Amino acid sequence: MSRGVHIVTAHTADTKDGLPEDFDALAKLKGTLVFLMGLERLPVIAARLIAAGKAPGTPAAVISGGNVLNPVRVRAPLCKIAAEAEKAGVAAPAIILIGDVADIDLSADRDRLAKPLKGIRVGITGTREIAEKQRLGLRALGAETQWVMRSEVKALPAEYDRWIFGNDFCWIVFTSANGVRTFFRQAAEKNRDLHSLKGKKFAVIGPATGAALTQYGITADLCPDIYTGEHLAAAISATAKPGERVVLLRSALAAGTLPEMLQKAGFAVEDIPIYDVESKPWGTVFPGMDYLTFSSAGGVRAFFGQYGAVPEGTRCVCIGSVTAGELSRHMDASFLTAPEISAEGIVEAVLHDWEAERSPAENVNLS
């Protein structure tokens, strides 16, 4: 649009009005004029340029930012720019831009780069912890979020003391952070001596569960590379000795795949549900959403039990293959599965899908 740019000081000490002595010549130049330190002289600058032949309708802008409390951008024709800048309360330091490029506003593109999911609505299901992680990640990218199906963890009375706190060796297996927290909370309520856990082996289904375990001073001995029950069973089978006791402390809603695989591999398996999950809907009518996230198979069942179906135009996102398998039993439409089993993986899936949906015109390289 412009083949040249001229940067000019508008604060000269040795001229009558403080403008450069060759100022009138600037009006005849094609291209863009940029004036520095000229906010106080903006009415004079505009009047001098128009008097020297610059068209009154030439696009102009005043941009104030950096060191001011309230950054302001004002755009108007050259003949009106001084009045509009005063009306907007522009404060120094500011730059004055005159020429066709002053009519272009790239702020929306900058906002899109910083907030690529701005305006997108995402419904979240699951427990408070995983919902909050998704909410923070999605909102940082500009998305609007709504916790549409709230799940609460309820501890169950469980009999596992004879294996966990006894002298016999065993593997203790957690398949969720909720299971870890429930177990240690119950142990504290029962005044169990955690020193008796010394010598036991711990296995977790993924890093998030492992991180929850480290909060209690225990590092997992085993974590599979792929965070599914099948891969956890395979990892235990490859590490533990046949016949060893494996104690599973998990949700009452957990699938039977893990204990079945371990039993077939020759282990003595104790599958103990130590917590349940109760889900509460956001409302009687599901609000319109662009995306809907599921972080558990139980959450899928709870959602369809309440709402019956996912509204047309809402794209579902599953945290992993088990959740995806449950969702596929309830709907035929295509959906997304997170690249890793975590809240961060769900956020990544939404971001990549939305970017892929944008048209080539919207994917302009602004670097």
Side-chain angles (χ1 to χ4, degrees):
M1 182 174 290
S2 178
R3 296 186 180 182
V5 58
H6 308 276
I7 302 174
V8 185
T9 177
H11 205 102
T12 305
D14 56 356
T15 63
K16 183 182 296 186
D17 58 5
L19 299 177
E21 60 277 359
D22 56 353
F23 187 87
D24 291 349
L26 296 172
K28 299 177 175 60
L29 295 174
K30 294 181 179 180
T32 305
L33 300 179
V34 180
F35 292 95
L36 307 180
M37 301 181 296
L39 188 58
E40 292 181 0
R41 293 177 172 81
L42 181 54
V44 178
I45 291 172
R48 286 276 305 265
L49 287 173
I50 292 172
K54 183 70 75 176
T58 301
V62 178
I63 303 168
S64 172
N67 296 328
V68 299
L69 293 176
N70 299 302
V72 178
R73 290 181 295 229
V74 178
R75 288 178 172 79
L78 180 59
C79 61
K80 297 180 179 180
I81 190 64
E84 292 299 321
E86 183 179 4
K87 185 189 302 182
V90 179
I95 68 167
I96 301 164
L97 187 68
I98 298 170
D100 289 342
V101 297
D103 209 23
I104 300 174
D105 184 357
L106 296 179
S107 60
D109 296 306
R110 288 193 298 270
D111 291 343
R112 191 185 68 201
L113 290 175
K115 305 285 187 180
L117 296 181
K118 188 174 182 179
I120 299 303
R121 298 162 299 170
V122 182
I124 299 173
T125 68
T127 61
R128 178 177 296 277
E129 182 188 29
I130 196 164
E132 184 66 10
K133 288 180 179 179
Q134 292 179 61
R135 186 189 69 83
L136 291 175
L138 290 165
R139 287 192 176 181
L141 295 172
E144 301 173 15
T145 62
Q146 177 67 54
W147 193 12
V148 296
M149 182 64 72
R150 306 184 176 203
S151 299
E152 296 181 2
V153 176
K154 302 291 184 181
L156 297 175
E159 296 297 330
Y160 46 71
D161 290 14
R162 57 181 293 193
W163 298 290
I164 301 296
F165 297 108
N167 295 322
D168 295 340
F169 173 82
C170 71
W171 281 85
I172 302 173
V173 180
F174 293 105
T175 58
S176 71
N178 289 325
V180 173
R181 287 188 287 269
T182 301
F183 168 74
F184 283 96
R185 190 180 301 117
Q186 289 180 333
E189 291 171 353
K190 296 178 181 179
N191 294 317
R192 297 302 185 216
D193 183 8
L194 297 183
H195 289 93
S196 61
L197 297 177
K198 186 176 182 180
K200 305 293 195 295
K201 292 287 188 179
F202 288 83
V204 295
I205 199 167
T209 307
L213 188 60
T214 60
Q215 293 178 358
Y216 298 93
I218 299 174
T219 301
D221 299 283
L222 184 152
C223 178
D225 295 330
I226 300 176
Y227 319 136
T228 66
E230 293 86 345
H231 287 86
L232 177 58
I236 293 174
S237 299
T239 304
K241 297 178 181 178
E244 289 182 341
R245 188 172 300 279
V246 179
V247 182
L248 308 178
L249 302 177
R250 56 193 197 135
S251 167
L253 301 175
T257 305
L258 176 60
E260 290 172 2
M261 291 182 65
L262 291 171
Q263 288 170 347
K264 289 180 179 179
F267 296 100
V269 179
E270 305 295 337
D271 186 16
I272 303 174
I274 64 171
Y275 72 93
D276 200 355
V277 177
E278 295 181 359
S279 297
K280 298 179 180 179
W282 174 79
T284 55
V285 178
F286 181 71
M289 293 287 165
D290 297 293
Y291 291 91
L292 175 63
T293 73
F294 292 106
S295 54
S296 70
V300 172
R301 291 190 290 269
F303 178 87
F304 281 90
Q306 173 66 32
Y307 296 111
V310 175
E312 187 176 350
T314 299
R315 188 121 194 223
C316 295
V317 187
C318 292
I319 196 170
S321 60
V322 174
T323 306
E326 184 65 33
L327 182 59
S328 66
R329 286 189 278 273
H330 289 81
M331 59 182 284
D332 297 326
S334 63
F335 56 84
L336 307 173
T337 302
E340 65 173 46
I341 302 177
S342 66
E344 294 77 12
I346 290 177
V347 174
E348 183 181 350
V350 172
L351 176 61
H352 287 178
D353 182 72
W354 178 244
E355 289 181 334
E357 288 293 321
R358 286 155 62 181
S359 67
E362 292 178 307
N363 277 311
V364 176
N365 184 353
L366 300 172
S367 60

